[in-house]
C-alpha cells in the first residue's frame, strides 16, 4: 500500500519528534513513511533532521526525511499533521508567565494549562494553530491533526469552534502515564491493569481502575489505593524528587476518584493548596512552586549535551514511547483498530459537561478515523470541579473567537487559584501587566491599554 505522509509542525522539539518518529517507523505498515519536518528555527530543524535520518538508518527502513521552512509547503498533500510547538518558548514567554504574577504574590507550579499562565499561553498559541488549520483546508483538507500543544483543552476547543471541519485530536500521555504510576505504587504489572477514564485534559478521572485476576475477573483497586495512602506506602518516589504526588492522593480521599494529571499540575487547578501565608500546606503536600521553569532550565542544559551526542553517534537507540500518535496513524492507515484517550469536542459524549467543551475520553480508532465512546453523566462532585476549569477555558476561547479583550479578564476572574489569592483590582491589573509584557507575542486585538470601565 501507499506510504503515509506525516508532517511535524514544530519539529525543532527534537526529543519529542524523535520519540514519535521512532514509534512510527517501528510499525511495519509505516516503515516507508514520508517524514516532513517543519520549524522556524533553522538550527533546531537541522538538528531534528539529523536525528530523524539516523533513526531511519538505525532501523533500516525505507522512510524518507524532508525539511521545510514554509508551513504550507510542508502540509501540501500530507495525511497526518503532528503539532508540537511552544510559542514564545521558555524565554521570554514562560519567564513572563511566572515572574509577573509573582509581583502580586500569585505563585504557580506549571502554568501551561489553566490560571493566568494558561490563559496567556492560549492567547499566544491558538492563532498559530488556526494558521495551520487554514493551510490544511487549502492543501490537506482530509489530513488529521494530532495536536500535542498546551493548553490542550483551550486549543482543541478553539479549533473546533473556528474550523469545525478540521479532523483533529488533542493528545496527552497523562492517562496512561498515571496508570503506570499507580500500578507501580501498588506493585502490580501495568499489563494487568484495566481502567476507564473521562473528563477534560489534565482533569480526567479514573471511573474504573481494576486488576485482572487469574480467573479472568477484575478486582476494584480503589480500596487498595486508599489503604496504601493511609498506611504511607503510596505514593512511592517518582522520577522527580521535587514532586512527591501527594495532592492527587489527598484529592482521591475527598472525591473518591483519582485524577489523571500530576499533583504539581492539580495543585494550581484548585483553590486548596497554594495559599499565601499557608506554607504548612505547601510543605505537607510537597507542592513544587516554580516547577516548570526549573524543568525548562534543566532540559535546555541537557539538550545541549544530548544534541552533540546525537550528532556524533552513528546509530540512535530507539525505544517505544507511551505516546498515542503512532497507534492513531497505524489504525487510520491500515484499519487495524486501537483504543486511545483523546481530546475532542464533547458533542454529548459526557452528558454532564457542556456540549461544545473539549473533553478527554476513550476513542476507538480505525480507518473511519477517531470515534469517541459514550460516557454519560460523571459523578456530580467531579462534574462540579471540572466545570470550574471549563469556565476559564470557555471564556479564553470566547476572547479569541470574538477578539474580545474583556473576556481575558473574565477568564482570570473565574480561575479557581487566581480568585482564591487576589481581589478584583489585583486580577485586572495583573492581566494588564501580562498583556503588556507579552506584547507582540499576542494577537493585535489583545495588546494596548485597557479601556476604562464605566462605573
Amino acid at each position: 500500500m501507499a506510504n503515509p505522509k506525516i508532517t511535524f509542525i514544530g519539529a525543532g522539539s527534537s526529543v519529542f519528534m524523535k520519540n514519535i518518529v521512532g514509534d512510527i517507523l517501528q510499525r511495519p505498515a509505516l516503515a516507508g513513511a514520508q517524514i516532513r519536518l517543519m520549524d522556524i528555527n533553522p538550527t533546531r530543524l537541522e538538528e531534528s533532521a539529523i536525528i530523524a535520518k539516523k533513526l531511519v538508518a538505525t532501523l533500516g527502513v525505507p522512510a524518507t526525511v524532508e525539511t521545510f521552512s514554509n508551513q504550507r509547503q510542508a502540509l501540501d498533500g500530507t495525511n497526518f499533521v503532528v503539532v508540537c510547538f511552544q510559542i514564545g518558548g521558555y524565554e521570554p514567554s514562560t519567564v513572563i508567565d511566572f515572574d509577573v504574577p509573582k509581583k502580586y504574590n500569585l505563585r504557580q507550579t506549571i502554568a501551561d494549562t489553566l490560571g493566568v499562565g494558561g490563559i496567556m499561553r492560549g492567547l499566544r498559541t491558538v492563532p498559530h494553530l488556526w494558521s495551520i488549520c487554514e493551510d490544511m483546508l487549502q492543501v490537506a483538507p482530509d489530513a488529521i491533526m494530532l495536536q500535542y500543544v498546551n493548553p490542550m483543552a483551550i486549543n482543541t476547543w478553539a479549533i473546533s469552534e473556528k474550523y469545525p471541519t478540521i479532523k483533529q485530536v488533542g493528545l496527552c500521555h497523562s492517562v496512561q502515564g498515571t496508570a503506570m504510576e499507580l500500578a507501580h505504587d501498588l506493585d502490580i504489572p501495568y499489563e494487568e491493569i484495566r481502567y476507564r477514564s473521562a473528563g477534560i485534559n489534565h482533569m480526567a478521572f479514573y471511573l474504573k481502575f481494576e486488576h485482572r485476576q487469574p480467573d479472568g475477573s477484575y478486582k476494584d483497586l480503589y480500596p487498595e489505593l486508599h489503604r496504601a495512602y493511609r498506611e504511607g506506602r503510596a505514593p512511592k518516589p517518582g522520577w522527580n524528587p521535587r514532586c512527591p504526588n501527594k495532592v492527587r492522593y489527598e484529592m482521591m480521599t475527598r472525591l473518591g476518584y483519582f485524577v489523571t494529571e500530576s499533583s504539581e499540575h492539580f495543585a494550581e487547578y484548585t483553590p486548596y493548596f497554594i495559599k499565601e501565608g499557608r506554607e504548612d500546606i505547601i510543605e505537607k503536600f510537597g507542592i513544587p512552586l516554580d516547577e516548570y521553569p526549573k524543568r525548562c532550565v534543566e532540559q535546555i542544559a541537557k539538550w545541549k549535551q544530548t544534541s552533540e551526542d546525537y550528532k556524533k553517534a552513528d546509530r540512535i537507540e530507539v525505544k517505544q514511547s507511551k505516546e498515542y500518535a503512532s497507534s492513531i496513524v497505524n489504525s487510520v492507515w491500515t484499519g487495524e483498530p486501537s483504543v486511545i484517550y483523546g481530546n475532542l469536542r464533547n458533542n454529548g459524549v459526557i452528558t454532564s459537561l457542556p456540549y461544545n467543551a473539549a473533553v478527554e475520553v476513550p476513542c476507538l480508532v480505525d480507518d473511519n478515523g477517531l470515534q469517541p465512546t459514550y460516557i454519560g453523566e460523571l459523578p456530580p462532585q467531579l462534574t462540579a470541579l471540572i466545570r470550574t476549569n471549563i469556565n476559564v477555558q470557555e471564556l479564553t476561547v470566547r476572547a479569541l473567537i470574538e477578539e474580545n479583550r474583556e473576556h481575558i479578564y473574565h477568564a482570570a476572574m473565574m480561575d479557581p487559584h487566581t480568585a482564591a489569592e487576589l481581589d478584583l483590582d489585583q486580577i485586572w491589573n495583573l492581566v494588564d501587566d501580562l498583556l503588556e509584557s507579552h506584547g507582540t507575542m499576542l494577537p493585535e486585538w489583545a495588546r494596548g491599554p485597557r479601556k476604562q470601565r464605566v462605573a
Side-chain angles (χ1 to χ4, degrees):
M1 61 190 302
N3 293 313
K5 303 179 184 71
I6 305 167
T7 298
F8 287 75
I9 304 295
S13 301
S14 301
V15 174
F16 178 81
M17 180 280 307
K18 168 189 170 288
N19 291 339
I20 300 297
V21 171
D23 290 346
I24 287 170
L25 298 185
Q26 289 180 80
R27 293 183 178 269
L30 310 179
Q34 298 180 33
I35 304 298
R36 300 175 174 185
L37 307 179
M38 182 270 161
D39 201 278
I40 59 173
N41 184 322
T43 301
R44 294 299 297 269
L45 182 60
E46 181 184 6
E47 290 173 345
S48 291
I50 291 170
I51 293 169
K53 289 175 181 177
K54 288 185 177 181
L55 285 172
V56 171
T58 298
L59 292 168
V61 293
T64 59
V65 178
E66 295 180 82
T67 59
F68 297 83
S69 58
N70 181 281
Q71 179 174 284
R72 183 170 290 200
Q73 289 177 3
L75 292 169
D76 193 3
T78 198
N79 304 113
F80 301 93
V81 183
V82 181
V83 185
C84 45
F85 56 67
Q86 180 184 343
I87 302 300
Y90 167 62
E91 291 181 316
S93 292
T94 295
V95 172
I96 291 171
D97 284 340
F98 276 85
D99 284 358
V100 174
K102 280 182 187 175
K103 297 176 183 176
Y104 295 81
N105 294 320
L106 181 63
R107 297 173 294 176
Q108 301 171 99
T109 55
I110 305 293
D112 70 351
T113 298
L114 210 72
V116 289
I119 293 167
M120 292 298 133
R121 196 166 176 135
L123 295 174
R124 296 194 303 269
T125 303
V126 167
H128 293 272
L129 288 169
W130 281 346
S131 78
I132 296 172
C133 293
E134 194 66 45
D135 284 345
M136 287 175 65
L137 287 179
Q138 298 301 316
V139 299
D142 296 322
I144 297 176
M145 179 191 286
L146 311 181
Q147 196 255 118
Y148 275 98
V149 183
N150 279 322
M152 179 69 66
I154 288 172
N155 295 343
T156 305
W157 193 332
I159 291 171
S160 69
E161 285 290 318
K162 189 162 185 175
Y163 293 95
T165 63
I166 291 290
K167 301 171 186 175
Q168 60 141 343
V169 61
L171 297 172
C172 178
H173 53 237
S174 62
V175 174
Q176 65 271 41
T178 292
M180 292 174 186
E181 288 181 55
L182 294 181
H184 174 68
D185 284 351
L186 297 179
D187 295 313
I188 296 173
Y190 173 69
E191 295 73 22
E192 297 177 8
I193 297 290
R194 180 175 75 171
Y195 55 83
R196 185 170 177 81
S197 168
I200 60 174
N201 181 239
H202 287 190
M203 198 180 273
F205 293 85
Y206 294 105
L207 305 177
K208 290 183 179 180
F209 198 79
E210 300 171 327
H211 182 204
R212 186 175 68 250
Q213 302 299 294
D215 64 0
S217 63
Y218 283 86
K219 175 186 176 182
D220 179 15
L221 285 174
Y222 267 115
E224 180 57 27
L225 286 171
H226 282 274
R227 191 178 307 114
Y229 181 53
R230 189 169 59 246
E231 295 174 357
R233 293 183 287 111
K236 290 181 179 178
W239 67 273
N240 187 341
R242 293 192 298 261
C243 305
N245 202 26
K246 293 180 181 178
V247 167
R248 290 195 288 177
Y249 271 95
E250 183 66 22
M251 288 300 292
M252 177 187 68
T253 70
R254 313 290 178 151
L255 297 171
Y257 297 88
F258 204 93
V259 73
T260 55
E261 188 46 78
S262 67
S263 288
E264 55 268 29
H265 276 276
F266 201 70
E268 65 182 10
Y269 301 159
T270 62
Y272 314 120
F273 295 99
I274 306 173
K275 305 179 82 65
E276 186 175 0
R278 294 300 308 275
E279 300 307 307
D280 58 314
I281 303 176
I282 304 290
E283 183 176 350
K284 178 180 179 180
F285 293 104
I287 296 166
L289 299 171
D290 297 327
E291 174 61 21
Y292 187 62
K294 291 172 185 174
R295 289 184 193 178
C296 289
V297 171
E298 290 168 355
Q299 289 168 357
I300 291 168
K302 183 179 179 181
W303 173 247
K304 288 180 180 178
Q305 181 58 51
T306 302
S307 63
E308 289 302 315
D309 292 343
Y310 283 152
K311 288 177 184 177
K312 296 173 185 175
D314 294 325
R315 297 169 58 84
I316 295 179
E317 183 181 7
V318 185
K319 294 181 179 180
Q320 199 73 32
S321 81
K322 58 186 178 183
E323 306 293 352
Y324 287 128
S326 70
S327 294
I328 295 171
V329 174
N330 186 70
S331 292
V332 171
W333 201 247
T334 67
E336 178 186 345
S338 64
V339 175
I340 62 100
Y341 277 82
N343 293 269
L344 313 94
R345 181 181 167 93
N346 186 13
N347 290 341
V349 169
I350 300 179
T351 55
S352 53
L353 297 181
Y355 197 83
N356 60 340
V359 296
E360 187 171 78
V361 294
C363 301
L364 170 66
V365 192
D366 57 21
D367 46 9
N368 290 308
L370 291 117
Q371 302 142 85
T373 59
Y374 179 79
I375 298 296
E377 188 170 334
L378 295 176
Q381 70 275 25
L382 304 186
T383 295
L385 190 60
I386 289 169
R387 280 176 177 165
T388 67
N389 282 217
I390 284 180
N391 291 336
V392 182
Q393 296 162 4
E394 181 172 26
L395 284 162
T396 305
V397 172
R398 284 290 187 91
L400 286 154
I401 291 285
E402 300 172 11
E403 299 188 355
N404 183 339
R405 180 168 161 151
E406 291 282 297
H407 284 330
I408 303 173
Y409 301 91
H410 299 154
M413 287 169 57
M414 300 304 158
D415 178 65
H417 174 46
T418 305
E421 294 289 278
L422 305 183
D423 65 34
L424 287 171
D425 282 338
Q426 289 175 314
I427 293 171
W428 282 57
N429 290 333
L430 169 57
V431 171
D432 281 341
D433 287 352
L434 284 166
L435 295 177
E436 181 180 356
S437 297
H438 281 298
T440 57
M441 288 290 177
L442 300 174
E444 191 171 352
W445 58 266
R447 306 174 207 161
R450 182 213 314 169
K451 294 180 182 178
Q452 292 298 314
R453 290 185 295 114
V454 178

